[in-house]
Amino acid sequence: MTKEEIREEVLDILADIAPDEDLSNLDDSQSFREQMELDSMDFLDIVMELRKRHRVQVPEDDYVNLASMNSTVEYLEPLMKDIQKV
Amino acid sequence: MYDTLIIGAGMSGLAAGIRLAHFGQRVAILERHYTIGGLNSFYRLRGRNYDVGLHALTNITPKGAKRGPLARLLRQLRFSWDDFEISPQNGSQIVFPGAKLSFSNEFELMRSEVARQFPGQADAFDKMVSQIVDYDDLTDEHQQLSAREVVSSYITEPLLVEMLFCPLMFYGSAREHDMDWGQFCIMFRSIFLEGLGRPFAGVRLILKLLVKRFRSLGGELKLRSGVKRILTDDGHVCGVELEGGETIEARRVLSSAGWCETMRLCDDGDPVSSRASGQLSFCEAIATLDVPPSAFDYHQTITFFNDSPEFHWTKPTGEMCDVRSGVICSPDNFGYDRPLGEEGTMRVTVLADQDRWMALDDPDYRLAKHRWWDRIVESAVRFVPDFRARVIDTDMFTPGTIVRYTGHDNGAVYGAPDKQLDGTTHLDNLFVCGTDQGFVGIIGAIISGISMANMHCLRD
Ligand SMILES: Cc1cc2nc3c(=O)[nH]c(=O)nc-3n(C[C@H](O)[C@H](O)[C@H](O)COP(=O)(O)OP(=O)(O)OC[C@H]3O[C@@H](n4cnc5c(N)ncnc54)[C@H](O)[C@@H]3O)c2cc1C
């Protein structure tokens, strides 16, 4: 997956977790926590969705990398570059 | 071999099941009853639909709100706010002799009511509320303090203290006389700071959504499948035996059957069950009216009443029910976009002594139901318009009903007074959720199922 595809995939996960949220205004450099008020349960969900959908394992120590869209894509890129987009 | 077996298809069991099935576990919910819902069930009698547990959903925050239990459970279960079709309450009241506090889903109303009727307490009330807002249910070290002590350290007018405790205890205290400060904060937020609402179609809508989702994710629901024993081997659960004799293997078990009830199911000789069962149970008189209550100009959603300055939250002594205090709920009085029906409903809930109710044989039980229906309603109409001339059908819910729907010891509505907040037991792969884990009410039970599933069943 390219960076852009990974971003789409993360957006899709966020839309799944928070169907009432308008994600079109999401600022990629700002933290999810502040913009969407995600809590620790929600972060765990992002991790588990990645595992479920793409078998990507994010160890607990790496959760800090999932703070914003930019940092998430940055972090996931090496882990997901060999995955084919479906 | 199942990844997880869940005991009980009440709100907490269904919510936990959705989480586990969503993440690909092989999971089954085992329910003793022939239907789902537990305490929050529904039934049909003489052509009319009745809800068992639902007066109102608590924790109602508006669509778009990102904080609070409702927003959290929608995200965790992947529902949209609109799926629950919630209409807000019209407004409710707490009525004591000589004082009345109104409240709605706008907290400002309650603040102004307190300031108007107890002007000397207004600042103290605000201070207490800011403490409650900041209370963190996961980290607070004051969780176990006596709520009566903490509240009285702010509010010095005893009548106001009693009036605040009355609704919160009715909607969520398993403990007599007092609550834990943590539980008080949770209940205060869920009822006064967030608010009350109801789906137009009642509790069946929520149950249908939950069970449909669970099944669509591949979860299995087994009704008429009471668990007779939890099979253990050397500190470890290996499966369960059903009442029919069948055994099912599992890697872990999550039980919503109650703490003492679950301990008794374990076949390792009940080593840790010296915990008291709950004592507080309810009777509810249900009246179907020929018109909605708005026809006689009654618009309150819920009226909490108490006929003396002091509120008594204890098991009734000497009588089968304690009619000095109660909760009057009118399912018609929510802000629906259309009338609920041509008829109306009034439900009056009071404390009941389960021992006396359970001791009756059949003819006496039926007689007692009639006698106490009259006494409960007679007590209630001191606080709301007398609706008795409009009654066209009646029903009565007793502690026996709770035993039947939940299997809780003593028909205890909110389970045992001591909760197991982390959900763990003496067995490393047996966990509890629901009422006896610590979150009560419908939204609370759902949150409990979600949290225990996340904490104990999704980590590997
Ligand atoms: C009159 C009344 C009014 C209420 N009003 C409200 C309200 O307005 N708002 C609100 O939020 N809450 C209300 N409640 C409280 C609410 O109903 C409960 O807190 C909530 O339903 C508890 O859900 P639960 O999943 O923890 O447990 P339960 O609903 O008790 O579910 C447990 C399930 O486990 C099953 N079970 C038990 N033992 C076994 C076994 N051995 N094998 C298999 N299955 C078993 C039971 O049959 C049951 O289905 C009310 C309660 C009452 C009595």
Side-chain angles (χ1 to χ4, degrees):
Chain A
M1 280 192 189
T2 65
K3 278 193 167 183
E4 191 45 40
E5 285 167 343
I6 295 173
R7 183 179 182 279
E8 285 302 313
E9 189 53 38
V10 176
L11 267 185
D12 196 62
I13 290 176
L14 292 175
D16 194 33
I17 293 177
D20 291 326
E21 191 80 27
D22 178 7
L23 294 168
S24 54
N25 298 324
L26 195 77
D27 178 344
D28 285 10
S29 62
Q30 289 265 331
S31 81
F32 296 134
R33 191 181 287 277
E34 266 165 42
Q35 296 181 82
M36 304 174 63
E37 302 217 20
L38 297 188
D39 58 25
S40 53
M41 273 193 188
D42 299 316
F43 281 99
L44 192 65
D45 259 34
I46 298 175
V47 171
M48 292 201 305
E49 287 288 348
L50 285 167
R51 185 169 78 180
K52 176 179 164 189
R53 296 175 181 204
H54 304 293
R55 305 197 196 301
V56 174
Q57 296 281 3
V58 182
E60 207 157 330
D61 290 343
D62 290 354
Y63 288 7
V64 285
N65 295 306
L66 308 183
S68 70
M69 182 60 94
N70 283 343
S71 68
T72 304
V73 173
E74 203 62 42
Y75 171 76
L76 289 175
E77 207 225 3
L79 299 174
M80 294 178 72
K81 65 178 190 311
D82 296 333
I83 295 173
Q84 284 302 318
K85 181 160 172 69
V86 279
Chain B
M1 173 72 98
Y2 286 89
D3 294 308
T4 307
L5 285 175
I6 297 171
I7 305 179
M11 293 288 174
S12 61
L14 288 167
I18 290 176
R19 290 289 298 169
L20 301 181
H22 178 81
F23 287 109
Q25 286 200 10
R26 182 154 186 240
V27 49
I29 302 181
L30 309 171
E31 169 57 52
R32 174 164 50 202
H33 223 238
Y34 58 84
T35 180
I36 58 168
L39 196 46
N40 265 285
S41 205
F42 51 88
Y43 59 102
R44 236 179 127 71
L45 183 70
R46 293 183 286 273
R48 293 188 180 87
N49 290 325
Y50 292 88
D51 282 344
V52 183
L54 172 78
H55 283 172
L57 294 179
T58 57
N59 302 92
I60 299 309
T61 37
K63 183 173 179 175
K66 295 171 190 179
R67 285 197 190 183
L70 178 63
R72 175 182 281 176
L73 86 80
L74 292 174
R75 289 200 298 265
Q76 288 275 306
L77 299 181
R78 314 287 193 263
F79 285 116
S80 146
W81 197 91
D82 292 327
D83 291 336
F84 281 35
E85 297 175 29
I86 297 165
S87 298
Q89 64 169 329
N90 290 348
S92 297
Q93 58 183 4
I94 310 162
V95 190
F96 274 53
K100 191 180 96 181
L101 289 176
S102 298
F103 65 94
S104 68
N105 291 5
E106 302 295 332
F107 185 64
E108 202 38 48
L109 173 62
M110 174 152 205
R111 270 193 74 214
S112 66
E113 286 275 291
V114 170
R116 187 171 57 80
Q117 301 200 41
F118 301 94
Q121 304 290 319
D123 290 342
F125 181 74
D126 285 346
K127 260 195 212 119
M128 181 181 80
V129 170
S130 67
Q131 281 298 305
I132 293 172
V133 169
D134 289 339
Y135 175 83
D136 183 339
D137 32 333
L138 296 176
T139 61
D140 200 284
E141 74 252 36
H142 301 307
Q143 125 86 25
Q144 309 275 8
L145 291 181
S146 150
R148 282 198 172 271
E149 276 172 30
V150 180
V151 172
S152 305
S153 74
Y154 292 98
I155 295 172
T156 50
E157 168 56 57
L159 181 59
L160 178 55
V161 173
E162 300 294 310
M163 291 178 83
L164 294 175
F165 269 97
C166 170
L168 305 190
M169 288 182 139
F170 261 112
Y171 275 180
S173 179
R175 225 171 112 181
E176 295 181 277
H177 305 294
D178 202 351
M179 302 167 85
D180 293 339
W181 170 242
Q183 179 68 358
F184 182 90
C185 291
I186 291 172
M187 294 304 300
F188 192 99
R189 286 201 290 232
S190 72
I191 293 170
F192 296 138
L193 291 171
E194 293 167 354
L196 304 177
R198 186 179 181 278
F200 184 81
V203 79
R204 67 203 69 211
L205 174 89
I206 298 174
L207 286 169
K208 268 185 197 153
L209 282 173
L210 294 179
V211 83
K212 215 173 115 195
R213 176 65 58 81
F214 176 65
R215 285 196 160 125
S216 75
L217 293 165
E220 295 169 49
L221 173 64
K222 297 177 191 276
L223 298 171
R224 290 198 179 85
S225 299
V227 172
K228 189 167 79 189
R229 286 196 303 156
I230 295 174
L231 308 170
T232 68
D233 180 25
D234 199 18
H236 197 75
V237 173
C238 32
V240 304
E241 181 185 336
L242 300 185
E243 274 153 15
E246 187 191 345
T247 63
I248 309 179
E249 289 180 11
R251 293 174 49 223
R252 65 178 89 73
V253 171
L254 180 62
S255 171
S256 68
W259 177 265
C260 301
E261 298 81 352
T262 301
M263 289 303 123
R264 272 202 307 272
L265 291 174
C266 295
D267 71 356
D268 57 353
D270 199 16
V272 282
S273 75
S274 60
R275 194 177 284 198
S277 300
Q279 295 297 330
L280 296 162
S281 196
F282 284 163
C283 269
E284 183 169 89
I286 302 163
T288 305
L289 315 179
D290 63 349
V291 289
S294 55
F296 47 88
D297 211 25
Y298 178 70
H299 303 280
Q300 297 290 327
T301 306
I302 297 177
T303 296
F304 297 91
F305 69 87
N306 191 66
D307 68 6
S308 71
E310 205 182 324
F311 172 60
H312 301 274
W313 185 247
T314 50
K315 178 175 170 169
T317 48
E319 296 235 65
M320 297 183 68
C321 292
D322 182 349
V323 300
R324 294 174 295 178
S325 188
V327 185
I328 306 165
C329 167
S330 316
D332 306 277
N333 288 345
F334 287 83
Y336 310 118
D337 55 6
R338 55 201 190 277
L340 204 52
E342 280 161 27
E343 300 173 347
T345 308
M346 298 287 274
R347 300 169 50 175
V348 187
T349 312
V350 299
L351 285 168
D353 175 356
Q354 104 102 26
D355 297 335
R356 281 168 205 265
W357 280 94
M358 297 308 275
L360 301 177
D361 55 21
D362 206 40
D364 284 343
Y365 177 70
R366 260 180 280 163
L367 202 66
K369 281 198 348 183
H370 283 289
R371 183 176 305 135
W372 283 97
W373 192 97
D374 288 342
R375 289 198 51 186
I376 292 168
V377 171
E378 187 180 23
S379 177
V381 297
R382 297 177 295 165
F383 302 90
V384 296
D386 191 344
F387 55 83
R388 285 176 290 187
R390 316 241 56 142
V391 174
I392 53 173
D393 201 358
T394 67
D395 196 24
M396 179 86 165
F397 168 114
T398 74
T401 321
I402 300 182
V403 173
R404 192 160 70 242
Y405 280 104
T406 69
H408 286 175
D409 286 358
N410 303 331
V413 191
Y414 298 122
D418 292 321
K419 301 302 185 190
Q420 187 68 19
L421 292 175
D422 69 3
T424 58
T425 68
H426 64 298
L427 300 171
D428 67 351
N429 57 345
L430 172 67
F431 307 98
V432 296
C433 68
T435 306
D436 278 348
Q437 180 265 321
F439 298 144
V440 299
I442 296 167
I443 302 292
I446 294 177
I447 290 285
S448 169
I450 292 171
S451 333
M452 293 303 108
N454 288 353
M455 212 187 236
H456 302 300
C457 311
L458 282 170
R459 285 285 161 113
D460 49 19

